Amino acid sequence: MTKKLLNWLEYLAIFSISIIITLPNTLQGIFAFTYDQGRDFLAVAKIVQDKDPVLIGQTTGLGGIFYGPWWYYFLLPIYIFANGDPQKVATFFAIFGSVTILAIYFLLKRITKNIFLSASLAISSAMIANWMLMPVMIWNPVVVPFLILFFIYLIYKTLKNENILYLLVLGITSGLILDFSAGFGVIFLTSTFFTFLIFSKFRRISFFLSFISGVFVITFPRILFELRNSFLMTKTTINYLQEPKIYGDHFNLFERFLNRMDLYKQLFTSAVTNNNQIITLVIFAYLAFLTVNYLRQKKSREIFLKDELLKFLFVLNIFIFILFSLFPDRIWDYYLIGLPVMIVVVVAKVLNFSFTDKYLKIVSSVFLVLLLFFNFNLNLIPPYI
């Protein structure tokens, strides 16, 4: 059996497991179709019927600030192919959720070169059925996890091969993340800029300009909207920064820090252990042990500290955490839509180092098998398939 055929079989197996979880409910008509979905369907239908392209999308949670049009254009061909049938569109997104799991496996396998580790974490992500890891709703934020995986892949490629075109595509990808999830996108894009300033490979003027150009391509429709509407969004943003309206709890900075720490812990628990608090503590302890063990030994410390992708993701998440802590209002869960896939990638990177040690390799393998066992949930498989 050729290596290429084995690769295809691996992807087919991962996809099959995830599709068994995502697709049957949708085919039975079990999916969300609320105000947001109806609004977006009507907007896309208007584009089709009037043949009138739009420069702006739906409103955000802040009046006067709008999404760009790219969610509508992403939904447009799906809507046309489905002839406006919500169930057919929902079926596409169920398949898209499985493709996201497949992308998790592809990325982990590429950056770790460890099939067992990659498959274990990808299958575990599917079995958990966390909506941020395997999104299946007809909703603009569900595209973000796939875009984050693509972003990480591009960072990985850039760190290995400094190609200016990667930065252009990184800019386009970051712009799309901003366009599909404004709350997460603003924090993510700002954190990406700061992270680029930390790493010398990204501080080159040509690289930075290429990245900015990519972001500009995606934000251009909104810029035209601003020019045509007396800078409505700019004025709204300035007014908000001068007098922010806080609808949630009024926390001071330290209280927000503790609140964001708790949110991150909840994200980790839901993304890795299916909300099992005990297993979460065990995983934290094991990952901490592995990290200390790597740093304690000179040879492994050098390898660990030379991992540019791991350092990049670590710094990026530090900035994201800081900016979310500075944000004065309540953090809704969908504001953090891109973080669970990053958590899975970081966990994979840390665990992968243990496979270079013959004893720790056994421990980590048992650990992954147990993780699959605890996350396995027969209730996720519908009884009518």
Side-chain angles (χ1 to χ4, degrees), residues 34 41 58 80 82-83 148 168 231 257 272 289 298 313 343-344 357 361-362 378 382:
T34 64
F41 269 56
Q58 70 276 28
I80 293 173
N83 198 27
I148 289 291
L168 177 65
F231 298 96
F257 173 82
V272 180
F289 163 75
K298 183 179 179 181
L313 293 176
I343 289 172
V344 172
D357 183 285
K361 177 181 180 179
I362 297 172
L378 283 174

Side-chain angles (χ1 to χ4, degrees), residues 80-135:
I80 293 173
F81 182 78
N83 198 27
D85 184 346
Q87 184 167 358
K88 292 179 181 177
V89 176
T91 299
F92 168 85
F93 280 92
I95 296 171
F96 183 76
S98 297
V99 171
T100 304
I101 293 294
L102 203 60
I104 291 174
Y105 174 68
F106 170 82
L107 177 64
L108 296 186
K109 182 182 174 184
R110 183 58 63 94
I111 65 178
T112 66
K113 308 295 188 296
N114 188 327
I115 294 175
F116 175 71
L117 170 65
S118 304
S120 297
L121 290 176
I123 294 171
S124 179
S125 298
M127 294 304 300
I128 289 174
N130 183 304
W131 76 274
M132 295 189 188
L133 287 174
M134 190 169 62

